[in-house]
């Protein structure tokens, strides 16, 4: 999905022009509604014999219209700077990005000075657009006004989808059950989440971890992570939290977002809300996950072994073990892994993608996925927490019952008894 980041500018446009064009790093430039570029249909950088000082024209016109003056006692917003970044997975070319940036900017600001500067100075060299819009309408001389700022991003998502790019849906699905309606806080205005990061670690927490110290926030996160990986519904989630020594309660009804508060049973003053642990630990996210947890779940024997290991780690205060268990469960959930064979298959599939060649923007992510899969596979094999093989049950669902890591599988324990049926099967195939 494309990301749109708005930045309000106060004062002259000269500093932003200098920043965007310094050291010749601009890949391309597009200008609309300037005196030297009156035709918006040109959609290309004009071939001037000298550098185009677009900031000076913006500043001069704005001052002429009196739109540099404060408004209602507040500093004047002299321009808006939008950063339009396409999804790395879309591998958008510069020409495709320019067409999208033109269409979006002219849709909302058809009568304003617009300067679009393109860069690819990020880690993966992905082109992105800096769209600078003067605050003054060149036709009416009035200040810029947007009725609903949220429409800017909604329209961008729609335009991206029309072009076959990844985009966020602007449609909010109607909850189908009472539990879903509760999770969606139906009928109440939605406040913005604290963070979009699936797992969020504060600066203080990172400092404690770097120094090898104890972080009670990380301790709670790991225990909650294990509970959400093992539970099949909210009741099981709460029960596992109790076994793990974690308390759970609703936050204040006056809070801007409904959330759960987690605390350590033996230190109840150490409390943290779910969304402070990361977006995937908030109440709404956890309820959505628990609604579908039964469909893809670890074998019962694996769940019991995970819980046994987790409770032992809590008793021993082994934070490294809790962290490894939590990460391994998250990997199993993400890749729907129920056996060591399934983990090996997932690793082989990702390695195959690398051998077949992938864009540089995807290679780093795939290598991180492989590293996480290998670490989880080795950890679970050592702990004998997953069976060796998947076995398909009569109802068509997959259940891991094909022997446990470190133990002989069913076929190895009874090889003489199983040899004859195997030969009969081969005979029928011939």
């Amino acid at each position: 999905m494309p990301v749109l980041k708005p930045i309000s500018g106060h004062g002259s446009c000269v500093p932003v022009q200098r920043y965007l064009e310094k050291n010749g790093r601009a890949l391309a430039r597009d200008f609309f509604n300037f005196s030297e570029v009156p035709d918006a249909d040109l959609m290309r950088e004009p071939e001037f014999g000298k550098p185009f000082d677009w900031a000076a024209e913006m500043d001069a016109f704005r001052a002429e219209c009196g739109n540099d003056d404060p408004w209602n006692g507040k500093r004047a917003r002299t321009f808006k700077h939008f950063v339009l970044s396409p999804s790395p997975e879309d591998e958008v070319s510069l020409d495709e990005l320019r067409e999208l940036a033109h269409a979006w900017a002219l849709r909302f600001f058809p009568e304003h000075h617009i300067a679009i500067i393109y860069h690819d100075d990020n880690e993966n060299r992905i082109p992105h657009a800096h769209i600078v819009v003067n605050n003054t309408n060149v036709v009416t001389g009035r200040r810029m006004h947007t009725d609903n700022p949220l429409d800017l991003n909604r329209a961008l998502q729609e335009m991206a989808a029309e072009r076959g790019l990844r985009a966020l849906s602007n449609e909010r699905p109607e909850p189908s059950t009472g539990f879903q309606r509760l999770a969606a806080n139906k009928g109440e205005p939605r406040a913005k989440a604290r963070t979009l990061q699936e797992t969020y670690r504060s600066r203080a927490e990172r400092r404690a971890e770097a120094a090898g110290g104890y972080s009670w926030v990380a301790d709670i996160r790991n225990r909650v992570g294990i509970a959400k990986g093992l539970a099949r519904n909210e009741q099981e989630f709460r029960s596992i939290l109790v076994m793990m020594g974690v308390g759970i309660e609703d936050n204040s009804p006056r809070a801007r977002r409904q959330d759960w508060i987690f605390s350590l049973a033996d230190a109840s003053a150490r409390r943290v809300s779910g969304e402070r642990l990361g977006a995937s630990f908030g109440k709404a996210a956890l309820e959505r996950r628990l609604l579908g947890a039964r469909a893809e779940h670890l074998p019962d024997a694996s769940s019991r072994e995970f819980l046994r290991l987790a409770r032992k780690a809590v008793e021993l205060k082994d934070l490294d073990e809790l962290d490894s268990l939590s990460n391994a469960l998250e990997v199993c959930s993400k890749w729907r892994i129920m056996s060591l064979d399934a983990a090996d298959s997932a690793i082989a599939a990702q390695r195959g993608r690398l051998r077949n060649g992938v864009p540089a923007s995807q290679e780093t992510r795939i290598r991180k996925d492989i590293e996480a899969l290998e670490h989880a596979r080795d950890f679970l094999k050592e702990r004998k927490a997953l069976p060796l093989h998947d076995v398909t049950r009569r109802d068509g669902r997959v259940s891991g019952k094909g022997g446990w890591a470190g133990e002989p599988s069913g076929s190895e324990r009874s090889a003489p008894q199983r040899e004859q049926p195997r030969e009969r099967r081969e005979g029928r195939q011939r």
Side-chain angles (χ1 to χ4, degrees):
M1 65 177 182
V3 175
L4 186 70
K5 178 182 179 181
I7 305 168
S8 293
H10 304 275
S12 172
C13 294
V14 171
V16 71
Q17 179 182 7
R18 186 183 303 123
Y19 166 77
L20 294 175
E21 298 183 359
K22 67 179 180 180
N23 301 326
R25 61 180 177 147
L27 297 176
R29 306 184 303 167
D30 293 315
F31 305 105
F32 302 104
N33 300 318
F34 289 88
S35 59
E36 297 185 76
V37 196
D39 188 356
D41 292 332
L42 288 176
M43 286 196 174
R44 63 180 177 83
E45 181 176 2
E47 297 178 358
F48 297 128
K50 59 180 180 181
F52 180 38
D53 194 355
W54 50 270
E57 184 167 340
M58 284 188 177
D59 288 350
F61 185 77
R62 191 177 59 250
E64 179 183 340
C65 296
N67 289 337
D68 279 335
D69 300 329
W71 180 259
N72 288 338
K74 298 180 180 180
R75 293 178 62 196
R77 182 187 62 188
T78 53
F79 64 91
K80 289 289 288 186
H81 175 191
F82 301 92
V83 185
L84 195 165
S85 304
S87 171
E89 297 178 352
D90 283 327
E91 301 177 28
V92 173
S93 68
L94 177 58
D95 288 341
E96 292 172 329
L97 174 61
R98 292 176 84 167
E99 189 276 330
L100 175 61
H102 295 165
W104 179 85
L106 292 172
R107 174 171 175 175
F108 289 99
F109 311 105
E111 297 176 347
H112 289 257
H113 291 132
I114 303 171
I116 309 179
I117 315 300
Y118 302 90
H119 290 168
D120 66 348
D121 53 356
N122 46 35
E123 180 180 356
N124 296 316
R125 313 298 294 183
I126 300 167
H128 54 280
H130 293 264
I131 305 172
V132 181
V133 184
N134 203 12
N135 85 336
T136 303
N137 187 302
V138 298
V139 176
T140 66
R142 295 179 179 176
R143 297 175 190 256
M144 174 195 299
H145 175 72
T146 304
D147 291 331
N148 189 350
L150 294 178
D151 288 342
L152 302 178
N153 184 60
R154 290 172 180 152
L156 177 62
Q157 302 304 321
E158 293 173 356
M159 297 169 78
E162 291 170 358
R163 289 159 174 77
L165 306 177
R166 289 170 174 80
L168 287 175
S169 172
N170 291 322
E171 298 294 327
R172 182 180 298 176
E174 185 70 15
S176 59
T177 67
F179 195 38
Q180 288 176 331
R181 286 192 290 273
L182 177 64
N185 297 326
K186 190 175 177 67
E188 299 181 7
R190 291 191 173 187
K192 188 176 181 180
R194 293 182 179 275
T195 178
L196 296 179
Q197 299 180 41
E198 293 293 301
T199 300
Y200 172 73
R201 287 178 169 81
S202 67
R203 184 178 301 175
E205 183 182 345
R206 294 196 300 269
R207 281 202 302 265
E209 291 178 350
Y214 170 73
S215 169
W216 61 267
V217 176
D219 191 359
I220 292 178
R221 184 189 295 106
N222 288 331
R223 299 191 199 193
V224 176
I226 291 169
K228 75 174 182 176
L230 293 178
R232 292 171 291 187
N233 51 55
E234 184 179 346
Q235 183 179 357
E236 285 191 1
F237 177 67
R238 290 177 175 273
S239 297
I240 294 172
L241 285 177
V242 172
M243 295 181 195
M244 300 283 293
V246 175
I248 177 175
E249 61 184 81
D250 289 325
N251 64 348
S252 169
R254 295 188 297 273
R256 64 188 186 93
R257 284 174 64 88
Q258 292 186 10
D259 202 358
W260 279 324
I261 303 297
F262 301 106
S263 60
L264 293 175
D266 56 356
S268 57
R270 291 179 167 177
R271 301 157 52 86
V272 62
S273 66
E275 288 191 348
R276 286 193 178 275
L277 301 175
S280 63
F281 293 86
K283 179 180 180 180
L286 286 170
E287 286 180 328
R288 287 193 299 270
R289 173 167 179 153
L290 293 170
L291 280 172
R294 187 177 295 276
E296 293 291 344
H297 193 262
L298 288 171
D300 290 343
S302 294
S303 295
R304 289 193 295 270
E305 183 62 15
F306 264 105
L307 186 57
R308 186 190 70 81
L309 292 171
R311 295 179 69 180
K312 181 179 178 182
V314 169
E315 292 173 3
L316 298 177
K317 300 186 184 300
D318 191 340
L319 301 184
D320 289 339
E321 182 78 357
L322 282 173
D323 185 57
S324 295
L325 281 167
S326 178
N327 290 335
L329 273 170
E330 193 62 34
V331 169
C332 289
S333 174
K334 177 180 178 180
W335 298 92
R336 298 183 178 180
I337 291 172
M338 299 187 186
S339 69
L340 294 178
D341 277 356
D344 288 333
S345 296
I347 294 170
Q350 296 307 304
R351 286 176 176 167
R353 293 182 64 190
L354 289 180
R355 286 195 299 271
N356 294 333
V358 295
S361 59
Q362 298 182 23
E363 183 175 344
T364 301
R365 177 177 55 81
I366 293 174
R367 292 191 183 280
K368 288 182 179 179
D369 285 342
I370 292 174
E371 182 179 356
L373 282 163
E374 290 178 335
H375 187 274
R377 187 265 320 273
D378 293 343
F379 174 82
L380 296 173
K381 182 177 181 179
E382 181 181 352
R383 298 299 188 278
K384 301 180 181 179
L386 277 185
L388 293 172
H389 313 294
D390 286 340
V391 174
T392 304
R393 305 187 327 191
R394 290 182 179 179
D395 59 7
R397 293 177 59 187
V398 174
S399 175
K401 295 182 179 179
W404 292 84
E407 299 178 358
S409 66
S411 61
E412 292 168 341
R413 286 193 298 267
S414 55
Q417 299 174 5
R418 295 176 60 87
E419 186 65 26
Q420 186 175 357
R422 182 171 63 83
E423 291 177 352
R424 285 203 299 267
R425 287 196 302 272
E426 291 176 354
R428 286 198 299 269
Q429 291 173 359
R430 289 195 293 268

